[in-house]
Amino acid sequence: MSRPRKPKGRPVSGWLILDKPFDFGSTEAVSKIKWLFKAQKAGHAGTLDPLASGMLPIALGDATKTVPYVMDGRKIYEFTVAWGEERTTDDLEGEVTQSSDRRPTAGEITAILGGYTGVIRQVPPQFSAIKIDGERAYDLAREGETVEIPSREVEIHRLTLIGSDENTAAFEVECGKGTYVRALARDFGRQLGCYGHISALRRTFVAPFGEDDMVPLADLTALEKIEDDAERLAALDAFLIDTGEALSSLPQVVVNDDQAHRLRMGNPIILRGRDAPVSADEAYATARGKLVAIGEIGGGEFRPKRVFAG
């Protein structure tokens, strides 16, 4: 009988909020961070296109269990639309498919923005990760196929024109999960009769993480010059945010060491005290400031669903 393989790397856990550089893929970024931190596991919470920059939350170790909670969070993007051309990818990477000499005024642009706020229906770009009959839309698009992608509901909380000139307009958008900013540029251009595509895109916020949490890749790679492994890894670990920060939108239950042990063994605990939550479909428990478990609250108990190493 063969022995189970020991995982490669360190069992380091936490969130690294990377300021992803332009022209660097999200998967490539995760691989680089996993290698730098010598982590056993790594994953990201929401792809950024290679031509986009900004916030890419990367989960290491046990923090990968909290990725869905960050994926569901609000996001803020700053983006620039170049008028006059529609492209296959709806950004600078694609080939021109439509063109126009018309250019919209700031007043014309502002007048249409109300139609793109609230809950709207949006058709994702041809070059997107949407699955069509089991295939990724971008794979089909690269093979030259044009596929019918159904529209879906997305929520735009805020959309502002922050500047414009004759050929471009800059915006800031706060939106919910699944929103394609490239699709906004495409739809703006079509409605204004001038066509458009994204010429610059930067993500500045993924709830609950903000701009102050972002770490430039150069700050991390600069530490490679430290020859001592322990010293270098300690310097890198200083950039990590505790796993539990990803769950700040959920009710929190603070437990003692004995309760933490029970939860980590998969057992429920009884909640006492007038401040204890009465019920919650999802909540998280902490002990000594560290995440212990995600679970549900009901009947005076906290019942763990996912547990985290101490």
Side-chain angles (χ1 to χ4, degrees):
M1 185 175 178
S2 61
R3 292 182 180 179
R5 288 186 179 182
K6 186 178 179 181
K8 292 182 180 180
R10 299 190 299 149
V12 59
S13 294
W15 282 93
L16 188 283
I17 313 304
L18 181 67
D19 188 346
K20 187 188 82 65
F22 175 83
D23 207 15
F24 195 62
S26 294
T27 301
E28 184 181 2
V30 171
S31 295
K32 180 69 174 179
I33 296 304
K34 183 181 179 184
W35 178 81
L36 279 172
F37 282 80
K38 298 189 183 303
Q40 289 178 357
K41 292 189 294 184
H44 65 73
T47 301
L48 263 185
D49 296 333
L51 298 188
S53 67
M55 185 176 292
L56 182 68
I58 296 176
L60 301 180
D62 263 1
T64 55
K65 298 175 184 177
T66 66
V67 163
Y69 300 92
V70 179
M71 292 276 284
D72 287 344
R74 291 190 184 192
K75 300 168 181 66
I76 296 177
Y77 297 87
E78 295 172 355
F79 64 102
T80 301
V81 178
W83 306 120
E85 293 178 345
E86 185 168 310
R87 300 190 175 209
T88 51
T89 57
D90 300 311
D91 63 12
L92 288 171
E93 201 171 24
E95 298 176 1
V96 177
T97 57
Q98 302 279 359
S99 61
S100 172
D101 293 330
R102 188 183 186 283
R103 298 294 182 267
T105 65
E108 289 173 326
I109 297 167
T110 302
I112 71 167
L113 296 185
Y116 293 88
T117 55
V119 177
I120 66 170
R121 296 203 70 85
Q122 184 184 74
V123 177
Q126 289 285 313
F127 281 80
S128 65
I130 300 296
K131 282 193 174 182
I132 306 294
D133 296 329
E135 299 281 342
R136 297 289 185 186
Y138 54 65
D139 289 330
L140 298 171
R142 287 184 185 124
E143 293 170 4
E145 290 189 46
T146 300
V147 294
E148 193 74 28
I149 302 179
S151 66
R152 59 182 185 170
E153 283 191 349
V154 297
E155 187 168 8
I156 309 291
H157 303 283
R158 178 172 55 85
L159 177 59
T160 310
L161 175 67
I162 57 178
S164 67
D165 57 30
E166 182 183 356
N167 294 308
T168 64
F171 302 86
E172 184 176 74
V173 63
E174 182 176 355
C175 55
K177 180 181 179 181
T179 304
Y180 279 93
V181 180
R182 285 181 290 130
L184 288 176
R186 176 201 66 204
D187 294 343
F188 291 171
R190 289 178 181 178
Q191 185 172 352
L192 291 165
C194 61
Y195 302 114
H197 63 275
I198 293 286
S199 60
L201 176 63
R202 180 170 176 78
R203 187 160 65 193
T204 59
F205 178 81
V206 179
F209 305 116
E211 285 190 83
D212 290 345
D213 296 319
M214 283 199 284
V215 182
L217 181 61
D219 288 5
L220 301 172
T221 56
L223 299 176
E224 292 182 70
K225 64 185 178 185
I226 301 175
E227 294 183 4
D228 182 80
D229 278 356
E231 183 183 350
R232 183 178 65 258
L233 293 172
L236 285 166
D237 288 352
F239 286 107
L240 292 178
I241 294 174
D242 187 74
T243 298
E245 291 297 314
L247 306 173
S248 59
S249 63
L250 302 179
Q252 180 184 9
V253 175
V254 178
V255 302
N256 59 36
D257 290 347
D258 289 340
Q259 291 171 316
H261 178 72
R262 281 189 58 80
L263 289 174
R264 289 192 173 108
M265 295 297 290
N267 299 312
I269 60 170
I270 296 172
L271 299 179
R272 294 187 174 91
R274 63 183 181 183
D275 295 330
V278 177
S279 66
D281 291 335
E282 287 190 301
Y284 68 106
T286 60
R288 299 178 183 265
K290 293 293 184 181
L291 181 61
V292 174
I294 299 172
E296 63 180 351
I297 297 171
E301 290 185 332
F302 182 100
R303 295 183 283 270
K305 295 178 182 177
R306 287 192 167 194
V307 298
F308 297 79

